[in-house]
Amino acid sequence: MTPLTTQSLNPPRLPIDWRGGLALTFAALFGLMATTWPLFVAPGAVLSDTTIGPWMFAMLLPLLTAVVLAQISSGGLDARLVAMLGVLSAVIAAVRPFGAGAAGVETVFFLIILAGRVYGPAFGFVLGNTALFASALLTGGVGPWLPYQMLAASFIGLGAGLLPGRQPRTRWGHRAEVLMLAAYGCVAAIVFGLLLNMSFWPFAITTGALAYEPGADFAENFRRLIAFSLATSAGWEIGRAVTTAVLIVLTGPLLLRVLRRSARKARWV
């Protein structure tokens, strides 16, 4: 009988070559620029005076996402990982209507976080994309906001895979891991809402203390963005954060074991 080693106990993660890593890094930087440009655009620049910015980024994001997915796929997505990706995307799409975003209740992110934690940052990034796309088709949520939602969800899966540690060995270690993921879920849910607000905030309102001020410095527009978010979506963000954390605490111990066991049995690397 082969003794269990540290390597065999750790579930395999989706490998990614240098081209996939480069594409992933570029996509992350571009995605941040696509959502946060209102805070950094220089006074007098074209983007500060027109409405072409969001449309340009909305058209480029799907193309960029497709390039990243192709690069990651060429690095190690075999048939078993594609099957797992399809199953998890279908499950997330199926559970999304149970929350439907009412009062901020979202049932999407907890599984993206748990899967990203087990299978790694590259898998989490891809799952965030495919899960939000599949759930949008199922719920009729396709629109100009969808590329931003897909990219923000990809960041959540990516960040979960980059959290420290791999697989705890003790009971307290497992509990600490679940609490870490729940805390991360709270922060990620709030950041998700803030990123989506930035994608339409410059055009949601055009006058008043909550409106985007073209040509203003970073501090002024950031203050206005926070005020806008508190006035319009704070309740939704809190509901999303609480829902995500509670679902991770309730399902995390079981689902982490199941996902890690399936990864070891599949032996896809």
Side-chain angles (χ1 to χ4, degrees):
M1 181 177 181
T2 304
L4 292 177
T5 64
T6 301
Q7 184 176 6
S8 64
L9 285 172
N10 286 328
R13 290 183 160 196
L14 171 62
I16 183 170
D17 59 15
W18 69 270
R19 290 174 301 181
L22 185 62
L24 197 58
T25 302
F26 178 72
L29 294 176
F30 184 86
L32 286 176
M33 182 178 68
T35 52
T36 62
W37 67 266
L39 299 178
F40 298 101
V41 65
V46 175
L47 290 180
S48 67
D49 298 325
T50 70
T51 60
I52 66 171
W55 289 108
M56 180 183 70
F57 290 127
M59 288 186 291
L60 288 177
L61 281 177
L63 177 61
L64 179 68
T65 301
V67 172
V68 174
L69 294 180
Q71 288 294 340
I72 293 176
S73 300
S74 65
L77 263 182
D78 62 9
R80 289 166 293 186
L81 266 177
V82 171
M84 177 60 73
L85 185 65
V87 169
L88 290 176
S89 298
V91 170
I92 292 172
V95 301
R96 188 175 188 182
F98 289 100
V105 176
E106 286 280 6
T107 53
V108 171
F109 301 109
F110 80 101
L111 194 50
I112 295 176
I113 292 172
L114 295 176
R117 169 68 176 172
V118 173
Y119 298 130
F123 188 91
F125 183 90
V126 178
L127 179 62
N129 261 283
T130 56
L132 265 289
F133 182 71
S135 63
L137 293 179
L138 186 64
T139 60
V142 178
W145 56 84
L146 181 57
Y148 294 97
Q149 289 183 337
M150 291 170 60
L151 194 64
S154 295
F155 286 150
I156 292 178
L158 177 71
L162 294 175
L163 291 174
R166 287 293 303 276
Q167 182 174 356
R169 303 283 181 244
T170 64
R171 178 179 300 179
W172 287 108
H174 286 289
R175 291 177 179 175
E177 181 187 38
V178 171
L179 291 178
M180 177 184 70
L181 292 174
Y184 171 76
C186 286
V187 175
I190 292 175
V191 172
F192 178 87
L194 201 60
L195 290 175
L196 291 187
N197 283 348
M198 274 191 285
S199 69
F200 68 88
W201 164 58
F203 313 103
I205 55 176
T206 56
T207 59
L210 305 182
Y212 170 64
E213 182 65 31
D217 58 19
F218 171 86
E220 174 63 21
N221 271 326
F222 185 72
R223 184 189 64 77
R224 288 169 176 261
L225 171 65
I226 296 300
F228 172 81
S229 299
L230 290 174
T232 60
S233 63
W236 295 75
E237 319 304 358
I238 294 173
R240 182 186 300 116
V242 172
T243 303
T244 302
V246 170
L247 287 175
I248 288 176
V249 170
L250 292 179
T251 66
L254 174 61
L255 290 182
L256 286 173
R257 284 200 303 271
V258 172
L259 293 174
R260 282 170 171 147
R261 186 178 305 158
S262 65
R264 282 193 292 268
K265 287 183 177 296
R267 298 178 185 278
W268 47 52
V269 294

